[in-house]
């Protein structure tokens, strides 16, 4: 409880594994040597009722002109390809699985990309710290589907996360999602179509059945295709904020 008597809300519990097989020595070396200079560390939360200090994205990416976020990048295939294709975009990648982070680091070093910062934490902790209208793109590719009904509250797509993403995104910014799980796909569509700040860009079935050319494949997608799980690719636009101009006081 804070001095003012307010109770700090409990942090949402994170479900998912942080480590897998022991890392090969070369990957452990990347974690030891490369992660510290490419890591994004969030500030400790202030005591309530103080508002949290927002991230300074310009300071984080001094030579970048816009900022993107990828949530749960896995082995980072999509993130590394986007970083190489868009060297003037600063990309935050959030992932809790160390082995995936090490794989991404290897790609970034090999391709000499310096425009990615890695958050080794629950992406939900980052969202309230992003400045208003700061992200032009957000990616959520094949998030854990949590198929059991009693686990649906663990899904990343929730009204609260969509509110925070909408606040952090610029007008016209794009939110890209993919899933090969019919249950989570329906959930994504239901929540995003119900949200006042997002509009679906699909005009015909082809638009969600086929991955756009500027959307590199992830390992999870490739595995799903091999195993007979066709993916869907969703593109949503962040609607323009309503202007207050012209309103009477
Ligand atoms: C099914 S995998 C998909 C990985 C990758 N996007 C792909 O398509 O290959 C989901 C990933 O999201 C990560 N993840 C789950 N919840 C997360 C969270 N709250 N914040 C950051 N990463 C998360 C998991 O560790 C896992 O690597």
């Amino acid at each position: 409880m804070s001095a003012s008597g307010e109770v700090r809300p409990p942090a949402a519990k994170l479900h998912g594994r942080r480590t897998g097989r022991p890392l090969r020595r070369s990957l452990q070396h990347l974690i030891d040597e490369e992660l510290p200079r490419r890591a994004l560390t969030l500030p400790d939360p202030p005591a309530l009722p103080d508002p949290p200090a927002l991230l300074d994205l310009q300071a984080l990416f001094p030579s970048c002109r816009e900022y993107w976020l990828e949530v749960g990048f896995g082995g980072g295939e999509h993130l590394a390809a986007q970083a190489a294709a868009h060297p003037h975009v600063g990309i935050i990648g959030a992932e809790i699985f160390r082995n995936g982070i090490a794989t991404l680091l290897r790609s970034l070093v090999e391709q000499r990309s310096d425009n990615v910062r890695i958050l080794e934490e629950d992406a939900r902790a980052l969202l309230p710290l992003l400045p208003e209208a700061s992200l032009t793109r957000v990616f959520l590719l094949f998030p854990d589907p949590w198929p059991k009904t009693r686990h649906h509250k663990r899904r990343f797509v929730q009204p609260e996360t969509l509110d925070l993403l909408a606040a952090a995104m610029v007008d016209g910014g794009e939110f890209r999602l993919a899933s090969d799980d019919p249950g989570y796909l329906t959930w994504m569509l239901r929540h995003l179509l119900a949200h006042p700040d997002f509009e679906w860009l699909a005009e015909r079935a082809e638009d969600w059945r086929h991955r756009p050319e500027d959307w590199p494949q992830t390992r999870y997608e490739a595995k799903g295709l091999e195993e007979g799980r066709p993916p869907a690719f969703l593109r949503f636009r962040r609607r323009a904020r309503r202007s207050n101009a012209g309103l009477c006081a």
Side-chain angles (χ1 to χ4, degrees):
M1 193 180 288
S2 72
S4 68
E6 285 186 67
V7 177
R8 188 189 288 264
K13 190 169 182 324
L14 178 64
H15 299 272
R17 58 183 186 151
R18 284 189 173 267
T19 53
R21 274 181 296 181
L23 290 174
R24 285 206 310 270
R25 197 190 298 195
S26 58
L27 290 177
Q28 185 59 50
H29 180 76
L30 287 168
I31 293 283
D32 296 339
E33 298 299 320
E34 292 292 331
L35 184 55
R37 68 181 201 88
R38 296 171 191 263
L40 167 57
T41 311
L42 300 183
D44 288 336
L48 286 177
D50 296 343
L54 300 181
L55 291 181
D56 182 346
L57 296 180
Q58 251 180 322
L60 196 61
F61 299 105
S63 57
C64 293
R65 293 192 290 265
E66 53 178 291
Y67 314 108
W68 295 359
L69 165 67
E70 181 165 340
V71 173
F73 57 73
E77 302 81 24
H78 172 273
L79 178 41
Q82 294 288 15
H86 302 278
H88 295 295
V89 175
I91 312 180
I92 297 175
E95 176 54 66
I96 53 168
F97 188 50
R98 259 243 155 152
N99 303 52
I101 292 173
T103 309
L104 172 68
L105 286 168
R106 185 174 56 197
S107 305
L108 297 178
V109 169
E110 278 171 9
Q111 69 191 34
R112 296 167 187 247
S113 289
D114 207 17
N115 55 329
V116 173
R117 294 295 171 267
I118 298 171
L119 177 70
E120 191 180 7
E121 269 192 56
D122 186 339
R124 292 171 300 177
L126 167 74
L127 302 183
L129 306 182
L130 291 165
E132 174 85 19
S134 56
L135 300 178
T136 49
R137 276 201 189 176
V138 176
F139 306 96
L140 178 66
L141 309 182
F142 304 96
D144 297 318
W146 297 112
K148 291 181 182 154
T149 307
R150 70 173 189 279
H151 290 157
H152 285 179
K153 56 183 176 299
R154 299 180 183 179
R155 290 176 167 173
F156 188 83
V157 173
Q158 303 286 347
E160 303 74 39
T161 40
L162 294 183
D163 286 347
L164 290 165
L165 283 174
M169 291 178 72
V170 301
D171 291 359
E174 195 171 312
F175 183 18
R176 292 185 169 187
L177 308 93
S179 183
D180 61 7
D181 182 274
Y184 202 177
L185 188 59
T186 308
W187 173 281
M188 285 173 174
L189 282 171
R190 181 154 57 82
H191 283 83
L192 276 144
L193 291 172
H195 198 286
D197 295 332
F198 291 104
E199 68 178 314
W200 195 13
L201 293 173
E203 289 171 358
R204 54 189 87 82
E206 290 301 287
D207 293 339
W208 55 264
R209 282 200 188 122
H210 296 289
R211 182 162 38 77
E213 273 182 21
D214 65 345
W215 183 328
Q217 192 182 49
T218 69
R219 189 183 303 178
Y220 192 89
E221 180 198 334
K223 195 164 155 246
L225 281 169
E226 271 173 33
E227 294 169 4
R229 295 192 308 272
F233 304 95
L234 308 181
R235 296 172 56 224
F236 281 81
R237 183 191 291 131
R238 204 270 180 231
R239 290 183 201 273
R241 287 162 173 77
R242 256 176 274 146
S243 155
N244 286 335
L247 290 184
C248 298

